[in-house]
Amino acid sequence: MYSNPSWFYCKEDGQAWVGGPHPTRWLMTVADSGQLGFMKDTAIYSETDPVQDCYRQCSAPVVDR
């Protein structure tokens, strides 16, 4: 993911361990290739707490600047 800003639709906690301040958090996004997928929280510069949970219906993505 090289685009800036990056967009994150939602987050999932309780997933595979990645460390950092949210050690089991992954965020849904669209990669530069156009594929939908998840990115580990530790690879994101901004705080991810404001991103809504994936189990709720996603409306608008949150921007990481």
Side-chain angles (χ1 to χ4, degrees):
M1 169 89 70
Y2 299 104
S3 60
N4 186 7
S6 300
W7 299 88
F8 301 99
Y9 291 97
C10 59
K11 67 182 183 232
E12 285 191 1
D13 288 303
Q15 304 303 310
W17 178 270
V18 293
H22 308 290
T24 61
R25 180 174 292 172
W26 291 75
L27 292 99
M28 182 183 288
T29 189
V30 176
D32 295 329
S33 65
Q35 289 188 293
L36 183 66
F38 285 87
M39 191 169 181
K40 61 185 178 179
D41 182 77
T42 54
I44 301 167
Y45 178 75
S46 298
E47 174 55 61
T48 58
D49 278 342
V51 179
Q52 62 188 344
D53 294 325
C54 289
Y55 63 83
R56 296 182 185 164
Q57 184 173 346
C58 294
S59 53
V62 175
V63 179
D64 174 40
R65 295 186 190 259

